[in-house]
Amino acid sequence: MKTWKTILAAGMMSVLAATANAGGIDALRQFNNDADGISGTFTQTVQSRKKTQTSSGSFQILRPGLFKWEYSKPYQQKIIGDGKHIWLYDVDLKQITQSNQDQTIGDSPAAILSNKTALDASYSLKEDGKKDGVDYVLASPKKANAGYQFIRIGFKGNTLAAMELKDSFGNQTTIRFNGVNTKPNLSRSAFTFTPPKGVDILKN
């Protein structure tokens, strides 16, 4: 006859085994459901057939629909989504491009990070292995014309660690996240963009 200690031990082992095998999808879904705001820093590498370019900066996201992506190296550039428009401000060129946010984001990775409903609405998910302690999820777009062949989202435990994506032209982008905070103190006013005087504005 099994004692209550044996039963309890068996139960605990089952829980631990389930946790160990949870993988990236569970971490991604928990992150997607729980995070109303996100902030941190990033390093981004874009690899094309001809060259590889690395940049870095910081980001802030207030869900749904508000985000600020700021590149500091090797050039200064700001991408701000205020809920209606996306403003791309190239500081060095003193040029701003304004576009409609819904049309521009579409099913891109920005939609996954800035809108909780985009994940299940636009992507099919499956576990995609583990590397360097990071569990990856393969997010395949449900639409054939999404512009991306695939997106891989990586979690270290329950912390967002990486995104990898390959676009329809074969360019591959890898983003490594650091210092991710899912409870930042953000206000909607932080995502309001006022174009500086004397800067050209192009509208798409």
Side-chain angles (χ1 to χ4, degrees):
M1 180 181 294
K2 293 182 179 180
T3 67
W4 66 270
K5 290 183 179 180
T6 304
I7 296 172
L8 180 60
M12 289 299 293
M13 290 299 294
S14 297
V15 170
L16 290 173
T19 302
N21 295 325
I25 290 180
D26 285 348
L28 173 58
R29 290 198 182 282
Q30 182 176 340
F31 170 84
N32 190 55
N33 291 334
D34 295 348
D36 294 318
I38 315 163
S39 67
T41 60
F42 68 89
T43 300
Q44 175 179 301
T45 301
V46 180
Q47 185 174 4
S48 64
R49 294 179 180 177
K50 295 183 178 180
K51 65 178 181 179
T52 299
Q53 186 172 12
T54 300
S55 55
S56 60
S58 61
F59 69 96
Q60 296 178 328
I61 299 169
L62 186 60
R63 306 168 95 184
L66 303 177
F67 62 88
K68 185 183 294 184
W69 201 266
E70 298 188 69
Y71 293 88
S72 56
K73 295 179 181 181
Y75 49 80
Q76 284 188 293
Q77 190 179 76
K78 300 180 180 181
I79 304 174
I80 300 164
D82 63 12
K84 293 183 179 180
H85 301 101
I86 291 180
W87 305 85
L88 192 159
Y89 177 26
D90 192 311
V91 178
D92 294 333
L93 295 179
K94 294 183 178 180
Q95 181 175 293
I96 295 170
T97 302
Q98 178 190 359
S99 57
N100 179 279
Q101 183 162 323
D102 289 339
Q103 293 177 354
T104 303
I105 286 183
D107 295 328
S108 72
I112 294 177
L113 292 176
S114 63
N115 193 333
K116 292 185 179 184
T117 61
L119 188 64
D120 287 323
S122 302
Y123 293 91
S124 299
L125 307 177
K126 74 173 185 177
E127 299 286 356
D128 200 33
K130 186 170 186 173
K131 183 179 180 181
D132 299 328
V134 178
D135 291 299
Y136 284 93
V137 177
L138 180 67
S140 302
K142 294 179 179 179
K143 295 180 182 178
N145 61 346
Y148 293 90
Q149 296 182 34
F150 65 79
I151 299 172
R152 296 179 78 219
I153 308 168
F155 281 83
K156 199 164 190 175
N158 290 322
T159 302
L160 178 66
M163 291 186 80
E164 299 177 0
L165 53 122
K166 192 171 186 178
D167 65 24
S168 55
F169 300 102
N171 302 314
Q172 187 149 333
T173 300
T174 300
I175 303 172
R176 304 295 179 194
F177 297 102
N178 292 290
V180 175
N181 181 4
T182 56
K183 295 186 181 298
N185 185 18
L186 301 174
S187 65
R188 297 187 66 87
S189 61
F191 301 89
T192 300
F193 179 73
T194 302
K197 292 182 180 180
V199 178
D200 294 331
I201 300 177
L202 307 176
K203 294 186 178 182
N204 287 338

